Amino acid sequence: GLLYWVKPTSFEVESKEFTALQKGRWLLGAGFDINTTRFKNTNPNYSYTAHDTENEGSVNIQIGKFVKDRTRVGVYLGYSTRKDIDTYNNGQKNENYSTNYNIGLYSRKYLVPARLTPYFGFQLNYSRTENKQVISNSGSHSSQSNNYSLGPSLGLAYIINNHFLVETQLADFYLS
């Protein structure tokens, strides 16, 4: 996501040295994602899904502080929702809805003080998922689940200037 530091060091012209990863700096980050998938089968002899529509969306926010140079700790909150509607040639319709809430603690260690730097991270997560399934002519079913997980991650960060940083997570591994 794109991150913006809440506490700028000054309002003067910035020096050539990047101070974005220095101890004491705060940051605020946010992200979002929207996905839509549609499928339509026009073959009347096809016995599976004739129409399939999936919609997904998510938002998250994070706040963190550099506790040492190139070492950040923080907390994040996330919300996501998913809707999947399948319609079959026999007229049956299945609807699946899910909502997910996340909260977690994280740490990141930026490996080099350069504009493009890899990082190693560690996360502790809690998520709550609520599911609802509606099947035509059969009623509905609801379920809820709680999940705790922890694990490492690897990524890349690109320092745009002393106030902006873009990160991408390349790999993660979680134990639940």
Side-chain angles (χ1 to χ4, degrees):
L2 181 63
L3 305 175
Y4 180 74
W5 272 263
V6 179
K7 180 181 163 189
T9 55
S10 73
F11 293 101
E12 299 174 9
V13 176
E14 295 178 322
S15 67
K16 296 291 181 192
E17 180 182 326
F18 290 109
T19 60
L21 306 177
Q22 284 184 340
K23 179 181 177 178
R25 301 291 305 253
W26 284 90
L27 65 84
L28 178 65
F32 71 94
D33 185 29
I34 298 172
N35 295 310
T36 298
T37 304
R38 299 190 194 301
F39 167 78
K40 182 177 181 179
N41 186 347
T42 58
N43 182 350
N45 297 322
Y46 189 68
S47 61
Y48 296 105
T49 306
H51 301 280
D52 183 12
T53 303
E54 296 180 25
N55 296 309
E56 297 179 69
S58 66
V59 295
N60 62 63
I61 188 167
Q62 63 177 295
I63 188 167
K65 184 176 183 176
F66 283 88
V67 293
K68 293 187 345 184
D69 284 355
R70 300 189 336 244
T71 303
R72 184 176 92 206
V73 296
V75 63
Y76 65 89
L77 298 169
Y79 169 81
S80 64
T81 183
R82 182 173 188 267
K83 178 173 76 171
D84 181 7
I85 300 174
D86 298 328
T87 306
Y88 298 89
N89 283 329
N90 64 6
Q92 182 175 334
K93 186 176 182 180
N94 295 350
E95 301 176 42
N96 295 294
Y97 303 93
S98 72
T99 304
N100 192 358
Y101 306 92
N102 298 309
I103 188 168
L105 302 172
Y106 70 89
S107 67
R108 294 224 170 96
K109 175 66 176 173
Y110 299 88
L111 302 179
V112 293
R115 184 180 288 270
L116 180 65
T117 178
Y119 69 81
F120 175 78
F122 194 81
Q123 297 167 321
L124 174 63
N125 306 306
Y126 166 74
S127 66
R128 177 172 177 82
T129 303
E130 299 171 354
N131 296 303
K132 181 178 180 182
Q133 182 179 38
V134 179
I135 301 173
S136 60
N137 304 326
S138 297
S140 66
H141 172 72
S142 296
S143 66
Q144 298 173 347
S145 64
N146 297 306
N147 184 42
Y148 299 91
S149 62
L150 59 96
S153 63
L154 293 171
L156 282 175
Y158 181 76
I159 301 170
I160 296 172
N161 62 30
N162 284 336
H163 300 289
F164 288 95
L165 170 73
V166 177
E167 293 181 342
T168 185
Q169 186 169 305
L170 301 174
D172 58 21
F173 177 78
Y174 289 103
L175 297 173
S176 294

